[in-house]
C-alpha cells in the first residue's frame, strides 16, 4: 500500500528514517508491519484499514522533518500513539517550542518530549511544590533531577536532596549485608544514575562528598528544615500518610520540592494506605502547588513497556 505523502528532499528523508532506518523499525515493533521508502514514495505492508491513520502519522513526521527537527525512535512512537488517540493537533508547536533544560555530561540536550512533560517542566520552573504522578517510564524523576541540577548550576539553590522511601520488596533490610548506608543504597541507584548522566561520575562524587548533593532514604529527612534546596521525593507511592506529611512540612524558604510516584505500584504492606494517594486529594487545589498527571502515552521506554502496562491494566480490569 502506497501512502499519499511524498518525501521530496534527501535531508528530509534522512531525518525521517533515522540512523539505519531505526525510525521505520518502530512501525514493525508497534504494529507488526514493515514500512519502506522507494524514491519519494512511502510503502507500507499493512491492511487498507490502516491507510487513513498512517497518512496522518507520516504527514506529521514529514512535516517535522521538513522543519529540520531531529526525530528519534521515541518521537516516532509518541506521534504514533498521539495519532491513535486523535491528538496530533499542535504537535509541531510542541517540538518547535522545546526549551533546553540542561546539557548532560555527554553533551545530550535534555528537553521535554511530550505535552505532559512540557507541562511538568513548566511547573517545575514556576511552583515551589510539584507532584509528577503516573506510570513508570514517563520521565517524572529524570526531568525533576535535570531541573534540580540546572537550578544548582544557575545558583538558584545551594543544595540538592534526593530521597526515596526504603521499602522492602520481598526482602527485609535486616537480612541485607553491610551498614545502614550499604543497606539502603540499592534503593537509591536510579537517583545516582540520573546524577551520573547529567554531571558525570567524578563531579557527582565530588558534590556528594562536599554535601552539596545528598542522596538519602526518607527517614533521614525527619526533624530538618530544607532551605535553599531542590528536594525530590521519588517513589512516593511507598510513603505512609505520616511520612508524606513529615516530608512536605520540611519545605523551607527559597526551596523547591518535587514528589514523584505511581499510585498503581504501591509496595507497602497489607492494609497500609499510600501517602501519595491521600495527599493528591488533600492538596488538589492548593495555591502554589501543581499536580501533573502522566499517561501511558508519555512512556519513553522500549515499546514493549507500553504493551506490558496495557496487559496489566486489562488483567486488573
Amino acid at each position: 500500500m502506497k501512502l499519499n505523502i511524498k518525501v521530496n528532499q534527501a535531508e528530509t528523508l534522512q531525518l525521517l528514517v533515522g540512523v539505519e532506518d531505526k525510525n521505520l523499525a518502530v512501525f514493525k515493533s508497534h504494529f507488526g508491519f514493515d514500512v519502506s521508502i522507494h524514491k519519494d514514495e512511502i510503502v507500507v505492508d499493512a491492511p487498507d484499514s490502516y491507510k487513513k491513520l498512517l497518512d496522518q502519522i507520516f504527514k506529521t513526521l514529514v512535516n517535522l522533518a521538513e522543519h529540520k527537527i531531529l526525530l528519534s525512535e521515541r518521537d516516532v512512537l509518541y506521534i504514533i500513539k498521539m495519532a491513535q488517540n486523535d491528538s496530533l493537533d499542535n504537535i509541531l508547536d510542541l517540538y518547535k517550542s522545546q526549551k533546553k533544560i540542561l546539557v548532560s555530561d555527554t553533551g545530550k540536550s535534555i528537553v521535554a518530549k511530550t505535552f505532559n512533560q512540557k507541562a511538568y517542566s513548566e511547573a517545575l520552573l514556576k511552583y515551589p511544590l510539584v507532584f509528577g504522578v503516573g506510570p513508570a517510564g514517563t520521565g517524572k524523576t529524570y526531568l525533576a533531577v535535570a531541573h534540580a541540577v540546572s537550578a544548582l548550576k544557575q545558583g538558584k539553590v545551594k543544595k540538592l536532596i534526593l530521597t526515596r522511601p526504603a521499602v522492602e520488596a520481598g526482602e527485609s533490610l535486616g537480612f541485607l549485608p553491610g551498614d545502614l548506608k550499604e543497606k539502603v543504597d540499592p534503593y537509591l541507584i536510579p537517583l545516582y544514575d540520573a546524577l551520573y548522566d547529567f554531571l558525570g561520575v567524578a563531579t557527582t562524587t565530588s558534590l556528594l562528598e562536599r554535601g552539596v548533593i545528598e542522596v538519602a532514604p526518607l527517614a533521614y529527612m525527619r526533624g530538618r528544615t530544607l532551605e535553599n534546596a531542590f528536594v525530590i521525593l521519588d517513589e512516593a507511592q511507598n510513603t505512609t500518610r505520616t511520612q508524606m506529611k513529615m516530608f512536605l512540612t520540611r519545605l523551607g524558604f527559597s526551596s523547591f520540592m518535587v514528589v514523584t510516584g505511581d499510585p498503581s505500584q504501591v509496595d507497602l504492606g497489607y492494609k497500609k494506605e499510600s501517602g501519595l494517594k491521600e495527599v493528591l486529594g488533600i492538596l488538589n487545589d492548593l495555591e502554589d502547588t501543581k499536580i501533573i498527571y502522566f499517561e501511558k502515552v508519555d512512556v519513553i521506554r522500549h515499546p514493549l513497556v507500553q504493551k506490558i502496562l496495557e496487559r496489566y491494566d486489562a488483567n486488573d480490569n
Side-chain angles (χ1 to χ4, degrees):
M1 177 175 67
K2 294 180 181 179
L3 302 185
N4 296 325
I5 313 303
K6 303 290 184 180
V7 185
N8 298 316
Q9 296 182 4
E11 185 180 3
T12 299
L13 176 62
Q14 185 177 5
L15 290 170
L16 176 65
V17 303
V19 178
E20 297 179 348
D21 292 352
K22 287 184 178 179
N23 290 350
L24 300 184
V26 173
F27 289 86
K28 182 69 172 180
S29 62
H30 186 77
F31 289 112
F33 50 69
D34 294 310
V35 176
S36 58
I37 298 179
H38 302 288
K39 296 183 179 179
D40 63 345
E41 294 183 326
I42 301 172
V43 180
V44 184
D45 180 21
D48 290 340
S49 58
Y50 280 90
K51 190 174 190 303
K52 182 179 178 180
L53 174 65
L54 291 170
D55 273 333
Q56 291 176 334
I57 292 170
F58 275 97
K59 180 181 179 181
T60 300
L61 291 173
V62 170
N63 190 20
L64 290 171
E66 288 175 343
H67 281 83
K68 307 297 188 290
I69 293 172
L70 182 63
L71 296 168
S72 67
E73 296 165 85
R74 170 65 191 86
D75 297 315
V76 174
L77 180 59
Y78 181 61
I79 289 165
I80 288 173
K81 291 192 285 186
M82 293 299 284
Q84 290 177 312
N85 292 341
D86 197 23
S87 303
L88 281 176
D89 292 343
N90 304 317
I91 197 79
L92 179 60
D93 291 338
L94 170 68
Y95 279 88
K96 289 177 67 176
S97 65
Q98 285 177 340
K99 294 182 180 179
K100 190 187 307 177
I101 300 168
L102 183 73
V103 177
S104 72
D105 183 60
T106 58
K108 175 185 175 183
S109 293
I110 309 302
V111 298
K113 285 285 192 177
T114 73
F115 286 109
N116 285 329
Q117 284 189 356
K118 181 182 178 182
Y120 183 55
S121 185
E122 291 171 349
L124 291 171
L125 293 171
K126 183 177 179 181
Y127 294 90
L129 176 58
V130 176
F131 291 83
V133 183
T138 50
K140 304 183 299 294
T141 303
Y142 194 76
L143 288 178
V145 176
H147 274 276
V149 171
S150 177
L152 182 67
K153 287 186 171 184
Q154 294 178 53
K156 293 181 179 179
V157 296
K158 295 181 179 179
K159 187 170 186 173
L160 304 189
I161 301 175
L162 291 74
T163 184
R164 293 178 118 192
V167 175
E168 298 94 334
E171 288 185 279
S172 171
L173 286 173
F175 291 106
L176 295 175
D179 57 22
L180 180 59
K181 183 179 186 304
E182 292 170 325
K183 289 176 187 289
V184 300
D185 264 0
Y187 293 95
L188 306 173
I189 285 175
L191 301 178
Y192 285 113
D193 286 345
L195 289 171
Y196 294 153
D197 193 9
F198 298 138
L199 293 169
V201 176
T203 301
T204 300
T205 302
S206 174
L207 293 174
L208 285 165
E209 289 173 349
R210 289 160 48 198
V212 177
I213 297 179
E214 181 180 342
V215 183
L218 182 58
Y220 282 31
M221 300 299 107
R222 189 173 297 279
R224 302 174 62 180
T225 300
L226 308 172
E227 296 190 351
N228 294 301
F230 200 114
V231 192
I232 300 172
L233 171 59
D234 191 31
E235 297 290 333
Q237 73 274 5
N238 290 327
T239 60
T240 63
R241 181 183 193 277
T242 302
Q243 288 174 323
M244 179 61 74
K245 183 179 179 182
M246 177 275 291
F247 174 76
L248 294 177
T249 53
R250 302 306 95 197
L251 182 63
F253 290 105
S254 301
S255 288
F256 301 89
M257 188 171 275
V258 186
V259 178
T260 69
D262 179 2
S264 72
Q265 295 190 14
V266 177
D267 295 319
L268 294 171
Y270 180 62
K271 289 187 177 180
K272 286 187 178 180
E273 193 68 32
S274 168
L276 177 61
K277 288 183 178 180
E278 180 189 50
V279 78
L280 294 176
I282 294 174
L283 304 184
N284 181 50
D285 57 355
L286 181 65
E287 189 178 358
D288 290 331
T289 299
K290 188 70 173 179
I291 302 173
I292 303 295
Y293 289 95
F294 290 86
E295 304 169 276
K296 289 192 292 291
V297 72
D298 298 297
V299 172
I300 56 175
R301 293 177 180 170
H302 191 281
L304 186 57
V305 174
Q306 169 76 12
K307 296 177 181 179
I308 291 170
L309 290 172
E310 290 172 352
R311 288 296 181 94
Y312 269 99
D313 284 348
N315 184 68
D316 290 341
N317 292 332

